[in-house]
């Protein structure tokens, strides 16, 4: 089912046996249906009742013992009268009705009956009841139906119910992520929102021919300020056939924080990011081991290819918590969520004073192992530090040993698939959360990075150890981290960290004219 708000996932087609086992009240209505239909029901004469294709029937026919006086009748839901089917469908809940609608064109039409959906709508969204008079759900549905059925097209109340249910889920999610951590500037209960409401993530692999493969995530883990999502499969489509990859948030339509959600119920998709896979193997590789090579696609996607045949091994996405719920629920299947314009109370009375009071939280991790988790305060940048359209923040000074930070453990990225697993050295995920002076998230990034070997630090003294650097840059900002490997202690030290912010973003955010 598709709605104007995004693509709705639905179960596949059900066979007759599956329908017979899933419809409450079907067994009770089965006999009456046969009696009403006459020859369409069960056999009236005594004896063994057969169904087409059963082993007993096949054996009976092979022996040539067919009784000409007996007739074999078959029970079929599709051959039942419309009135009987509508009576059966009236006992189903919303999820079951949507599943039934996938069976056939006739079932889709009958399962969209306005009288059935008005009852469901009235039960879920009945108006506030008076203390003096309490109306039952049936009375409310009847009063609504008398006024609203004849002049509405088939399926109107189904659409109304689904639209209102989606709005309810979005409002509930907005409420649960409203409290903000003053330390990070991010929602406090974002993990709870993802878990309780059944939010998860999917990738849509689109072939050049237009064929799509929708894959649900296999693993989801939480970091301090981001979530790492993993996909892998034994039967990936071949990379040469693929054109794009869509990363989407998936939300159950009938999610309820007080009930267990149905993992196979209807859902809607919200596009988070779109990636081009047509030239993936020719892109810059950021790491490898004996089994796979990994490639980075911004924003925040890591794609692993097998060394042997360039086939897809796994896909990993690192999603920053900032507006993650909004990005996962408020977009459509073709357009990502666009945040509302920012209105700041900042008044720049003295532009020469520069940008003061910024705060940076930085994490580095790889496959469940954390190498760095640190917060740096009182960051500033003066007007003289603006060059090439970027304002420069010196977060960690190369010449100040007291500011240098160690990385704990051996830096690398752990990966696994159905059969194999491995470890890619010098590759990890980096999360950056920059808060402006009013403690609002100003620039948030989660991206795969790798440690690139350089001859020596860009400025300052030479250290007794090999030097590495990590670079990241996008339209809103960038970061350059320089590290030194200390052989004696076998650990990395961050000796320099420089942050670059786009002047255009600063002016747009604060209304300044730098």
């Amino acid at each position: 089912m598709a709605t104007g708000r995004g693509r709705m996932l639905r179960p596949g087609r059900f066979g007759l046996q599956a329908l017979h086992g899933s419809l409450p009240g079907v067994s009770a209505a089965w006999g009456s249906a046969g009696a009403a239909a006459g020859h369409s029901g069960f056999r009236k004469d005594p004896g063994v009742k057969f169904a087409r294709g059963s082993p007993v029937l096949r054996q009976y026919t092979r022996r040539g013992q067919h009784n000409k006086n007996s007739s074999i009748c078959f029970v079929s839901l599709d051959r039942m009268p419309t009135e009987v089917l509508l009576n059966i469908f009236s006992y189903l809940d919303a999820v079951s009705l949507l599943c039934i609608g996938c069976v056939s064109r006739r079932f889709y039409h009958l399962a969209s009956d306005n009288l059935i959906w008005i009852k469901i709508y009235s039960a879920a969204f009945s108006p506030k009841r008076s203390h003096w008079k309490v109306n039952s759900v049936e009375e409310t549905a009847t009063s609504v139906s008398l006024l609203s059925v004849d002049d509405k097209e088939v399926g109107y109340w189904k659409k109304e119910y689904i639209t209102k249910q989606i709005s309810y889920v979005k409002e509930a999610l907005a409420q649960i992520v409203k409290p903000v951590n003053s330390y990070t500037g991010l929602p406090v209960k974002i993990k709870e929102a993802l878990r309780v409401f059944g939010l998860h993530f999917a990738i849509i692999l689109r072939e050049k021919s237009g064929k799509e493969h929708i894959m649900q995530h296999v693993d989801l883990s939480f970091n301090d300020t981001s979530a790492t999502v993993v996909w892998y499969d034994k039967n990936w489509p071949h990379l040469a056939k693929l054109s794009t990859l869509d990363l989407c948030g998936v939300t159950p339509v009938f999610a309820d924080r007080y009930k267990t959600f149905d993992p196979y119920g209807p859902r809607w998709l919200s596009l988070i990011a779109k990636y081009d896979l047509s030239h993936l193997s020719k892109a810059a590789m950021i790491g490898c081991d004996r089994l796979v090579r990994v490639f980075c696609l911004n924003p925040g996607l890591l794609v692993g290819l097998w060394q042997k045949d360039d086939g897809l091994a796994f896909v990993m996405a690192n999603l920053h918590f900032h507006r993650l719920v909004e990005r996962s629920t408020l977009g459509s299947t073709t357009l990502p969520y666009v945040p509302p314009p920012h209105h700041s109370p900042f008044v720049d009375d003295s532009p020469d004073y520069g940008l003061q009071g910024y705060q940076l939280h930085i994490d580095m991790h790889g496959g469940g192992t954390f190498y760095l988790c640190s917060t740096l305060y009182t960051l500033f940048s003066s007007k003289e530090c603006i060059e090439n359209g970027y304002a420069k923040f010196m977060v960690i000074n190369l010449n100040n040993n007291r500011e240098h930070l160690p990385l704990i453990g051996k830096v690398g990225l752990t990966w696994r698939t159905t059969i194999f697993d491995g470890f890619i050295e010098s590759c990890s995920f980096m999360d950056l959360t920059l808060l402006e002076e009013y403690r609002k998230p100003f620039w948030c990034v989660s991206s795969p990075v790798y440690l690139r070997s350089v001859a020596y630090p860009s400025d300052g003294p030479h250290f007794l150890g090999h030097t590495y650097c990590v670079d990241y840059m996008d339209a809103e900002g960038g970061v350059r981290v320089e590290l030194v490997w200390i052989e004696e202690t076998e650990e990395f030290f961050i000796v320099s960290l420089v942050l670059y912010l786009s002047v255009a973003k600063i002016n747009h955010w604060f209304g300044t004219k730098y």
Side-chain angles (χ1 to χ4, degrees):
M1 178 179 58
T3 67
R5 296 178 181 269
R7 172 176 306 172
M8 192 86 70
L9 297 183
R10 62 186 183 186
R13 293 183 177 274
F14 293 87
L16 182 59
Q17 293 179 351
L19 280 173
H20 180 70
S22 63
L23 295 180
V26 168
S27 299
W30 215 253
S32 61
H39 63 277
S40 299
F42 293 115
R43 288 177 52 189
K44 295 183 179 179
D45 55 319
V48 179
K49 302 177 180 65
F50 299 113
R52 178 179 296 176
S54 66
V56 177
L57 179 60
R58 289 195 297 268
Q59 182 180 6
Y60 185 82
T61 304
R62 284 197 302 268
R63 293 179 180 178
Q65 298 175 351
H66 180 65
N67 185 357
K68 296 181 179 180
N69 296 325
S70 66
S71 61
I72 300 175
C73 301
F74 309 106
V75 176
S76 172
L77 276 176
D78 191 49
R79 295 172 61 183
M80 283 186 174
T82 297
E83 294 78 7
V84 175
L85 287 175
L86 287 175
N87 185 39
I88 294 174
F89 290 174
S90 67
Y91 289 95
L92 303 183
D93 59 11
V95 175
S96 301
L97 282 171
L98 293 176
C99 294
I100 288 293
C102 299
V103 174
S104 67
R105 188 182 299 274
R106 184 188 181 206
F107 277 24
Y108 177 82
H109 181 80
L110 295 177
S112 301
D113 183 75
N114 279 335
L115 283 173
I116 296 176
W117 282 97
I118 277 182
K119 182 178 179 181
I120 296 175
Y121 182 95
S122 301
F125 306 111
S126 58
K128 295 182 179 179
R129 298 178 179 179
S130 169
H131 293 289
W132 300 101
K133 182 179 180 181
V134 178
N135 295 326
S136 67
V137 171
E138 288 76 12
E139 291 174 347
T140 304
T142 302
S143 62
V144 174
S145 63
L146 292 176
L147 299 173
S148 306
V149 173
D150 294 337
D151 59 340
K152 302 295 182 182
E153 71 277 7
V154 175
Y156 172 83
W157 283 103
K158 179 177 75 171
K159 295 177 183 178
E160 286 293 307
Y161 175 77
I162 293 174
T163 300
K164 196 161 186 176
Q165 184 67 34
I166 291 175
S167 299
Y168 162 77
V169 173
K170 290 181 178 180
E171 290 174 3
L173 285 170
Q175 291 298 321
I176 201 172
V177 299
K178 185 175 291 185
V180 174
N181 188 333
S182 58
Y183 176 69
T184 62
L186 303 174
V188 176
K189 298 181 179 180
I190 189 167
K191 298 178 184 178
E192 179 182 344
L194 294 176
R195 182 183 69 255
V196 173
F197 283 89
L199 272 68
H200 54 283
F201 303 93
I203 54 175
I204 302 176
L205 298 171
R206 189 171 290 103
E207 295 186 6
K208 298 174 183 177
S209 62
K211 183 179 179 180
E212 294 182 350
H213 306 267
I214 302 178
M215 310 187 69
Q216 306 294 335
H217 76 257
V218 178
D219 188 31
L220 172 63
S221 59
F222 295 105
N223 313 305
D224 280 359
T225 58
S226 66
T228 302
V229 195
V230 182
W231 296 264
Y232 54 81
D233 192 86
K234 292 185 294 185
N235 300 309
W236 290 96
H238 198 277
L239 179 62
K241 297 181 179 180
L242 299 178
S243 59
T244 59
L245 181 152
D246 292 354
L247 171 60
C248 300
V250 183
T251 309
V253 173
F254 305 113
D256 190 331
R257 62 184 301 179
Y258 302 108
K259 298 180 182 179
T260 302
F261 69 93
D262 181 7
Y264 302 104
R267 297 156 167 77
W268 82 81
L269 299 181
S270 174
L271 179 65
I272 297 176
K274 183 182 288 287
Y275 305 89
D276 184 7
L277 298 180
S278 57
H279 303 290
L280 177 64
S281 59
K282 299 179 181 179
M285 182 178 67
I286 67 171
C288 66
D289 60 12
R290 61 186 183 86
L291 292 175
V292 299
R293 296 172 294 142
V294 291
F295 301 83
C296 174
L297 296 176
N298 289 326
L301 194 73
L302 191 72
V303 180
L305 300 182
W306 296 113
Q307 292 274 20
K308 183 177 180 181
D309 57 1
D310 272 351
L312 285 171
F314 60 86
V315 174
M316 300 177 69
N318 208 60
L319 304 174
H320 200 283
F321 282 163
H322 181 52
R323 299 191 184 276
L324 178 57
V325 172
E326 292 89 340
R327 288 182 289 150
S328 303
T329 59
L330 301 183
S332 69
T333 54
T334 55
L335 296 174
Y337 163 74
V338 178
H342 175 75
H343 301 285
S344 174
F346 180 80
V347 178
D348 193 11
D349 295 328
S350 56
D352 293 334
Y353 183 67
L355 304 171
Q356 306 289 330
Y358 282 60
Q359 173 182 318
L360 177 67
H361 185 83
I362 179 171
D363 294 331
M364 292 185 69
H365 54 90
T369 304
F370 282 82
Y371 309 116
L372 176 66
C373 182
S374 182
T375 302
L376 304 149
Y377 301 92
T378 63
L379 309 181
F380 67 93
S381 176
S382 63
K383 193 173 182 179
E384 291 75 19
C385 296
I386 297 177
E387 56 183 24
N388 299 325
Y390 288 91
K392 180 180 178 182
F393 290 76
M394 183 61 67
V395 182
I396 295 179
N397 197 321
L398 186 68
N399 297 309
N400 190 346
N401 295 338
R402 293 177 299 176
E403 296 180 352
H404 298 174
L405 295 175
L407 268 59
I408 301 173
K410 185 179 180 181
V411 177
L413 180 70
T414 302
W415 63 269
R416 67 185 181 91
T417 62
T418 307
I419 302 175
F420 301 104
D421 55 32
F423 183 81
I424 302 174
E425 294 185 5
S426 303
C427 185
S428 66
F429 287 105
M430 180 175 65
D431 302 334
L432 299 173
T433 307
L434 182 69
L435 306 183
E436 36 97 314
E437 59 183 294
Y438 294 98
R439 294 295 180 267
K440 301 293 183 182
F442 181 76
W443 185 53
C444 300
V445 172
S446 290
S447 177
V449 295
Y450 69 103
L451 276 64
R452 177 170 54 89
S453 177
V454 294
Y456 49 82
S458 58
D459 190 19
H462 295 280
F463 292 88
L464 297 176
H466 198 77
T467 305
Y468 296 82
C469 75
V470 172
D471 293 301
Y472 174 83
M473 183 66 70
D474 62 26
E476 296 187 346
V479 63
R480 179 178 178 85
V481 182
E482 294 183 354
L483 308 96
V484 173
W485 171 255
I486 306 301
E487 194 69 37
E488 290 77 8
T489 59
E490 295 186 346
E491 61 183 342
F492 285 99
F493 269 86
I494 295 180
V495 297
S496 175
L497 196 159
V498 183
L499 193 67
Y500 301 91
L501 292 182
S502 168
V503 174
K505 178 178 175 60
I506 295 173
N507 290 335
H508 178 75
W509 185 273
F510 293 113
T512 54
K513 296 181 180 179
Y514 286 107

